[in-house]
Amino acid sequence: MSQATAAPARPALDRSRALAWLQDYGVYLAVALLLLFNALFTPHFLEVGNFRTQLVQVAPIVIVSLGMALVIGTEGVDLSVGSVMSLAAAVSVLYLGYGVAPALLMALVAGAFSGVVGGSLVAFVGVQPIVATLALLVGLRGLANVLVPQLKEFRDPALLSLGSDAVLGVPYVVLVAAVVVAVVGFLMRRTTFGRRLVAIGGNRRAAELSGLPVRRVLVTVYALSGVLAAVAGVLATARLQAADPTSLGLFMELSAITAVVVGGTPLTGGRVRVAGTVMGALLMQLLTSTLTKHDLPSSWNQMAQAAIILVAVYAARERTTR
Amino acid sequence: MSPSDPAVPDEPLIEATGIVKRFPGVLALDDVSFDLRPGEAHALVGENGAGKSTLLKVLTGVYRPDAGSLRVCGEPAAFSGPMDAQNAGVQAIHQEIGLVPLMSVARNLLLGREPRTRLGLLDMRALHRRAAELLEPYGVRVDVRRPLRSFGVGTQQMVALARAVSVDARVVVMDEPTSSLEPREVETLFGVIDRLRAQGIAVVYVSHRMDELFRVCDRVTVLRDGRLVHTGALADLDRLRLVSLMLGRDAAEVRAHGLTKFSGDHERADDAPVLEARGLTRRHQLHGVSVTVRPGEVVGLGGLLGSGRSETAKAIAGALPTDGGTVVIAGTELRRPTTARSTRAGVALLPEDRKAEGIVPTLSIRDNIALAALPALSRAGLVSEARIDRIVETFMTRLRIKASSVQQRVGELSGGNQQKVLLARWLATGPKVLLLDEPTRGIDVGAKAEVQTLIDELAQEGLGVLLISSDLEELVEGSDRVVVLRDGAVAGELTGDQVTEQGVMAAIATAPATPPTTEPAAGPGAGEGPARPAEDAPSPGED
């Protein structure tokens, strides 16, 4: 019966409908248009090697953005992701002496722990997410610098291989990102955790009164974001072949928020778009590479990014105020 | 009773002709005309989804109509927004009050036109004096320096009204103004309305309460399904005729079944109580409140606004921390109650504030219904779509939830349907005890009747129901027993033939104002008054 009633309302709503459509699918359209443009006008764009490079570059952003999307879905934000990346990098090279597996494990534990701290501040103490994670943004970067004061190279073959090798032509880095996308998609689509997460973001008080374990879910969400940031930090370190706590992941939180917002997830919470977030990250990556390849200055890139963010925010605003 | 129709040249203040407004999938207003004369109180009634809110929003500039014309004082008007409408003298007092909760009462009253000192700074003393003057006629005596949110809804509403009138409104729109007022405040409001009318201000009055309409209004406009059904003097209609116009049903049918849909007494099973709350205590709010509900019983919780009714329900559901008292559900004591634990034990709380505490507006009807019952609808954390579909379908049908599809967002539904979705959410958990806090507030006559019928059925099926309602008629007709609260303590309990409106009012009024709740740091055990069975002793769930 939905089709029957949906048909008649036409003229006056075209605008708000178009904007709702833009919020939901605009990012796909933009990615498609950019791909088309590049296919036509950028030399060597369609080569496999280029695709591989693009995907390798975007993989860490995708991973971090998905964690960010979950946090934003609860009406929060996680500013600490970039610093968690650097902390994970520091921890992983510190523990490299025990072997790659313990080193990676410790890095992920560090990420999870940071997330639990941030999440607990938000869920139990009632600190606003932006403040709680801002404190971590500052503190964790400092901690990482204490652990590894300057750029520290490593020669562990296994870790190097994680950063540069591939299976069946697909780099490990991209593979990990793909797995993360699948896992997060599964979480949101099929699990009670995913349902609870968006309910908490949509109306926390209602979720509480409905008997949901609000605090536990919140802490888990921030912990997940921390783990994913740690994963991205480890991958980036493997590719760099060195831990660089001072600059690794700088401004990552902004790239991640951008990907999430451009992907159509509202900052007001209550909704998480997994595929959209991936597309958002891809869009920003493609945009940068397109402008670079056509020899346009990076200031153009920044302004183009700003324009895209504004369009995304505008489309989201129209929907919520309707 | 139309004291303000003296002469012919009453040019309408507002004249809306042939208004059409569409939303995705809905024709919300279909060729509706409406006019408003100076000094009249005009009732606007209709079921949920009839188009009342939409029409109000067109009149107050929130929506622009897709077709039709709007004239204000004879001049064609096209409001580009609420500010525009306000400048033209059309002020709305909304159900959801549009004030700034964190600001002081005084700042709210004079927002945007604060008195200044010679230096251009805020003149706080003048601000507070002026604010107090403005509030004076409304019977609200509060410290205007305190933030608005620290006061009850009734007070907030009076502040909104005072503000509207003080900015030279010519038309005041009141949407369910009395829904959260105490009887005394309602009287004050009616007095204010009379005064407004005497000044030639027109009032659009939206309410689901028949008494008020007949008490306050001269004319009535009835909408149904987005169309104009009737406009005319209210004196020409009787209650039943009006209800039948709104419902589109036969008046005789309504007469046969009475105005509320309760069937009357339920068989009172003498089983062990399904809910036993003893000596609930919370500083300043509850003083040793005890309530028991047996399976199949509807127990009313009566009392004035602020008497502790909602707090009692919330304390039982673990949503409000208590300083003392025990809650026993079906023989098992809830230790350290939290909402999660009480839900598992079989307690369901339908909160008073549907919008703030009930619905999750971003989610679909389906996800909203499945929310509380998720543990039962999943295995090892994985959601079973099939089970959700089944349960959602069951309750969509049973509660007759009207929506374009189960995927529609709950935020888009009418109040009555939102309430049904919330009921469905709780029924899906298979509860033993239902705590219903104002289950029919702000929903239309039709949905109200349906909800009342449902409460009856559920009780017959063996649920224990605790019913909170400010609507005395509903409370009395719906309940087998009524526990009356006053100032956070039990003031009396009515059973059998005692359950009458007079009985409840008497219980509220008698025992003349025992020393109110002014022992500040009394803490646990401060409960005085007739009901104090709890010794406060066995409460191991305290910290």
Side-chain angles (χ1 to χ4, degrees):
Chain A
M1 68 183 174
S2 53
Q3 293 90 335
T5 46
R10 262 291 196 46
L13 281 154
D14 275 356
R15 203 176 75 104
S16 68
R17 267 211 204 157
L19 284 164
W21 187 90
L22 186 67
Q23 192 194 358
D24 285 348
Y25 303 109
V27 64
Y28 295 92
L29 181 70
V31 168
L33 286 177
L34 266 179
L35 282 176
L36 187 67
F37 173 86
N38 278 297
L40 294 177
F41 302 110
T42 310
H44 310 300
F45 180 77
L46 288 176
E47 286 166 17
V48 176
N50 175 51
F51 275 110
R52 194 182 296 154
T53 317
Q54 301 282 339
L55 288 177
V56 165
Q57 282 177 3
V58 83
I61 302 181
V62 166
I63 295 170
V64 174
S65 304
L66 287 173
M68 184 68 81
L70 297 184
V71 177
I72 287 179
T74 66
E75 210 179 353
V77 72
D78 186 355
L79 296 184
S80 70
V81 287
S83 299
V84 171
M85 281 176 75
S86 82
L87 178 67
V91 169
S92 64
V93 294
L94 276 186
Y95 282 87
L96 211 46
Y98 298 95
V100 172
L104 296 191
L105 190 68
M106 285 313 293
L108 299 193
V109 168
F113 182 72
S114 316
V116 168
V117 171
S120 302
L121 284 174
V122 172
F124 291 97
V125 188
V127 181
Q128 280 158 348
I130 197 165
V131 179
T133 57
L134 181 65
L136 288 175
L137 164 99
V138 178
L140 294 180
R141 169 96 39 203
L143 179 61
N145 275 321
V146 169
L147 293 176
V148 177
Q150 64 234 22
L151 195 81
K152 184 167 179 178
E153 295 184 37
F154 58 86
R155 296 211 174 68
D156 185 282
L159 192 52
L160 291 176
S161 139
L162 179 64
S164 46
D165 285 358
V167 263
L168 301 173
V170 184
Y172 282 128
V173 180
V174 177
L175 216 55
V176 172
V179 170
V180 167
V181 173
V183 168
V184 174
F186 180 80
L187 273 182
M188 290 316 297
R189 197 170 268 276
R190 302 277 297 129
T191 67
T192 49
F193 171 76
R195 309 285 162 115
R196 287 170 167 163
L197 189 162
V198 285
I200 291 167
N203 187 342
R204 180 164 169 180
R205 183 71 185 144
E208 254 158 19
L209 286 180
S210 300
L212 304 202
V214 173
R215 292 170 170 181
R216 201 174 74 209
V217 172
L218 280 176
V219 172
T220 314
V221 166
Y222 283 88
L224 268 177
S225 174
V227 168
L228 291 181
V231 169
V234 168
L235 292 180
T237 305
R239 269 191 46 204
L240 275 174
Q241 313 192 345
D244 178 12
T246 318
S247 58
L248 183 70
L250 269 186
F251 300 115
M252 188 49 131
E253 61 285 348
L254 300 184
S255 307
I257 295 171
T258 306
V260 173
V261 171
V262 169
T265 300
L267 285 172
T268 43
R271 202 154 175 252
V272 173
R273 286 167 52 89
V274 176
T277 302
V278 176
M279 283 295 145
L282 277 179
L283 176 62
M284 298 328 248
Q285 170 69 25
L286 267 178
L287 186 71
T288 309
S289 96
T290 307
L291 296 178
T292 319
K293 290 210 168 115
H294 288 266
D295 289 329
L296 291 164
S298 66
S299 47
W300 281 53
N301 182 23
Q302 288 161 347
M303 286 188 283
Q305 294 205 6
I308 289 179
I309 294 171
L310 286 179
V311 170
V313 170
Y314 180 65
R317 199 194 72 94
E318 276 295 313
R319 167 166 292 183
T320 48
T321 52
R322 186 171 59 115
Chain B
M1 55 175 239
S2 39
S4 56
D5 287 331
V8 203
D10 264 5
E11 186 186 33
L13 278 173
I14 288 192
E15 195 174 12
T17 324
I19 300 289
V20 177
K21 180 73 193 169
R22 291 188 186 85
F23 291 111
V26 196
L27 187 53
L29 289 178
D30 183 6
D31 190 21
V32 171
S33 299
F34 179 81
D35 70 295
L36 195 60
R37 298 171 196 153
E40 80 166 335
H42 195 133
L44 182 61
V45 297
E47 283 208 72
N48 276 346
K52 284 171 312 192
S53 313
T54 313
L55 180 58
L56 290 183
K57 286 184 176 168
V58 167
L59 297 180
T60 54
V62 178
Y63 292 151
R64 250 177 282 183
D66 296 327
S69 71
L70 191 60
R71 288 168 164 273
V72 174
C73 302
E75 302 286 317
F79 298 140
S80 62
M83 261 335 260
D84 232 21
Q86 284 181 28
N87 291 337
V90 183
Q91 279 275 348
I93 316 290
H94 276 297
Q95 243 164 332
E96 286 87 26
I97 303 152
L99 298 172
V100 192
L102 282 172
M103 279 193 182
S104 72
V105 169
R107 293 291 303 265
N108 268 297
L109 273 172
L110 295 162
L111 200 63
R113 48 208 174 91
E114 297 88 349
R116 304 273 169 177
T117 62
R118 256 174 300 166
L119 293 173
L121 301 173
L122 285 185
D123 184 347
M124 294 315 271
R125 205 179 299 161
L127 182 79
H128 293 142
R129 198 184 50 238
R130 179 115 180 73
E133 284 166 14
L134 281 175
L135 273 184
E136 168 82 86
Y138 298 88
V140 184
R141 253 167 241 108
V142 296
D143 183 351
V144 296
R145 287 166 301 186
R146 278 176 53 197
L148 186 68
R149 67 163 181 185
S150 58
F151 297 101
V153 189
T155 307
Q156 297 195 17
Q157 207 158 3
M158 283 300 178
V159 172
L161 186 63
R163 174 176 161 76
V165 174
S166 71
V167 294
D168 294 328
R170 278 180 290 183
V171 175
V172 176
V173 177
M174 298 186 189
D175 194 352
E176 290 281 336
T178 58
S179 62
S180 35
L181 298 187
E182 290 177 33
R184 185 174 41 83
E185 295 173 314
V186 170
E187 284 309 315
T188 316
L189 178 75
F190 289 169
V192 170
I193 291 177
D194 286 340
R195 220 165 325 131
L196 296 181
R197 294 173 44 183
Q199 295 167 29
I201 296 173
V203 176
V204 182
Y205 195 89
V206 179
S207 176
H208 294 115
R209 296 185 181 171
M210 294 287 147
D211 301 335
E212 293 176 14
L213 298 182
F214 283 93
R215 161 86 205 275
V216 173
C217 300
D218 317 304
R219 285 202 302 154
V220 61
T221 291
V222 184
L223 299 180
R224 191 168 71 230
D225 298 331
R227 288 194 203 88
L228 179 67
V229 179
H230 177 88
T231 297
L234 197 54
D236 298 344
L237 297 175
D238 63 18
R239 270 176 172 234
L240 283 178
R241 176 85 188 115
L242 182 57
V243 171
S244 69
L245 278 173
M246 290 160 65
L247 296 180
R249 285 192 210 140
D250 192 61
E253 189 195 332
V254 179
R255 196 186 315 268
H257 291 94
L259 281 176
T260 65
K261 282 288 174 172
F262 291 115
S263 65
D265 288 294
H266 308 102
E267 280 152 61
R268 195 163 317 128
D270 283 322
D271 301 339
V274 69
L275 162 68
E276 221 180 333
R278 275 184 306 231
L280 294 177
T281 299
R282 180 175 159 83
R283 233 180 173 183
H284 300 314
Q285 289 178 329
L286 298 174
H287 307 288
V289 174
S290 299
V291 182
T292 42
V293 181
R294 285 169 220 291
E297 196 183 26
V298 179
V299 175
L301 204 51
L304 298 176
L305 207 82
S307 60
R309 296 170 308 177
S310 300
E311 287 79 3
T312 302
K314 284 199 167 145
I316 293 172
L320 189 75
T322 51
D323 303 323
T326 53
V327 175
V328 180
I329 303 297
T332 317
E333 188 181 328
L334 276 185
R335 284 163 200 277
R336 299 179 147 273
T338 63
T339 51
R341 282 194 193 118
S342 70
T343 305
R344 240 175 287 138
V347 180
L349 168 67
L350 191 76
E352 179 183 15
D353 192 336
R354 200 162 51 226
K355 203 170 166 186
E357 308 194 310
I359 62 165
V360 182
T362 48
L363 298 188
S364 65
I365 295 171
R366 185 173 179 276
D367 289 348
N368 265 284
I369 291 179
L371 194 59
L374 272 178
L377 300 172
S378 60
R379 187 174 297 160
L382 297 188
V383 176
S384 161
E385 302 292 341
R387 271 190 250 177
I388 293 184
D389 281 337
R390 227 174 304 139
I391 211 151
V392 167
E393 184 162 344
T394 308
F395 287 110
M396 291 288 285
T397 320
R398 171 157 188 198
L399 305 190
R400 275 182 281 166
I401 298 171
K402 280 176 230 148
S404 57
S405 92
V406 293
Q407 298 299 344
Q408 195 179 355
R409 294 215 190 162
V410 161
E412 295 168 2
L413 296 182
S414 64
N417 279 313
Q418 288 182 349
Q419 191 72 302
K420 289 185 193 171
V421 167
L422 290 180
L423 269 166
R425 177 192 290 172
W426 284 115
L427 294 180
T429 63
K432 300 190 183 94
V433 187
L434 269 179
L435 313 172
L436 305 175
D437 197 349
E438 302 283 1
T440 64
R441 170 183 289 176
I443 68 178
D444 66 274
V445 182
K448 190 167 178 171
E450 283 177 344
V451 169
Q452 291 170 342
T453 312
L454 184 76
I455 296 173
D456 243 17
E457 287 174 15
L458 292 169
Q460 269 151 21
E461 287 168 21
L463 260 74
V465 180
L466 188 68
L467 174 67
I468 299 177
S469 179
S470 306
D471 183 344
L472 270 185
E473 197 178 2
E474 178 172 281
L475 189 72
V476 164
E477 290 190 19
S479 312
D480 303 313
R481 210 147 53 80
V482 176
V483 173
V484 179
L485 298 184
R486 189 183 51 233
D487 298 334
V490 175
E493 183 172 330
L494 310 170
T495 52
D497 294 341
Q498 300 171 306
V499 181
T500 59
E501 298 190 17
Q502 286 74 18
V504 174
M505 289 190 283
I508 293 172
T510 48
T514 40
T517 60
T518 35
E519 57 276 29
E528 81 291 300
R532 206 198 148 197
E535 303 85 350
D536 296 309
S539 49
E542 281 197 48
D543 32 339

